[in-house]
Amino acid sequence: MTIRLATRASRLALWQTEHVASLLQQAGFATEIVPMQTIGDAVQDRSLAKIGSKGVFTEELEVSLRRGETHLAVHSAKDVQSSIPSDLELLAFLEREQVNDVVLSFNEQFSLEKPGIVLGTSSTRRKAQLRRFYPEATTAEARGNLQTRLRKLEEGQFDALVLAYAGVHRMGYDHLVRHVLPSAQFVPATGQGSIAIECAADLNPDLKAQLKAALDHSATHTCLLAERAFLHTMEGGCSIPSFALATLDDAGVVRLHGGLISLSGEEYVEEIQLAAAADAYALGVAVAEAVLARGGREILASIREHRG
């Protein structure tokens, strides 16, 4: 049978979907890619926080799953909302790419230490982290796909861009990377670097099992389970400057580093805990509850008040 894959129409999303298609073809499936435009792609004149709805990059793809028009939706895992409707499920997570944020510039001598630099990013989390760790820099809104952002950079709208390494690498722009930001300090967003595969909950169980076997990376899935449990408990999404990174060691122990930062970057709460892989979900909940108890609730309330 032919597996129909729903995807955003950007070059990066299509690259990711072609990668998924190749894995399925290796497992004996024929594939068809079905590109779509999401509200997050269509609305470029507002920040993601101001668009406001959850699933700004996923909703249209999910509608196609519900209607049976496609079998799987391919997402960047960091774009998937914290709560999945009961009629849908996250079936698989592909092996994770390097998780770091990176700084891109056409200037080979670019330095983050130079006063007054303008850094382009559309991420609430990155803006807050940059305000905390590089207070001399200014951040500017940088919506659009990777190619659009690079065009804006070339036009001089920013001195540099701050992006996820995974997308930069997949699109072949490694030569523009001037700084790799340490993940212990610039802790990434939940799911950063991984591709998530979503399906309808009522998809044929045997077919689901075959698709999962072809696509799922067990260690990544365990880590994402912890991170997404953290995000769900925080009731966070793209517009909340939370962060979470789980790693799994050879002994089967998950380490989760999660936290929350205020929009100004001044208030910062982080928590690190360990648990067995089998307890990954409970670990995510525990880390989120610790963050909320140690000042996270107040930070969230302040953010919501600020946005009205």
Side-chain angles (χ1 to χ4, degrees), residues 253-284:
V253 175
V254 182
R255 177 187 186 272
L256 178 61
H257 182 180
L260 184 66
I261 184 170
S262 64
L263 297 177
S264 67
E266 293 175 7
E267 298 165 87
Y268 187 87
V269 183
E270 62 182 340
E271 177 80 9
I272 299 173
Q273 293 187 22
L274 308 176
D279 298 321
Y281 187 91
L283 174 65

Side-chain angles (χ1 to χ4, degrees), residues 49-111:
K50 289 179 180 173
I51 295 175
S53 68
K54 293 181 179 178
V56 295
F57 292 120
T58 60
E59 188 172 351
E60 289 76 7
L61 281 60
E62 291 177 335
V63 168
S64 77
L65 294 175
R66 289 192 176 97
R67 291 176 176 168
E69 297 164 353
T70 57
H71 299 92
L72 300 176
V74 181
H75 308 294
S76 291
K78 66 183 176 61
D79 292 337
V80 180
Q81 62 271 36
S82 57
S83 297
I84 301 295
S86 60
D87 59 341
L88 300 172
E89 68 177 81
L90 291 175
L91 180 68
F93 294 99
L94 273 64
E95 185 172 5
R96 196 173 214 168
E97 181 55 83
Q98 182 178 322
V99 300
N100 301 70
D101 286 332
V102 292
V103 181
L104 270 67
S105 177
F106 289 104
N107 175 9
E108 292 183 16
Q109 307 305 315
F110 175 80
S111 170

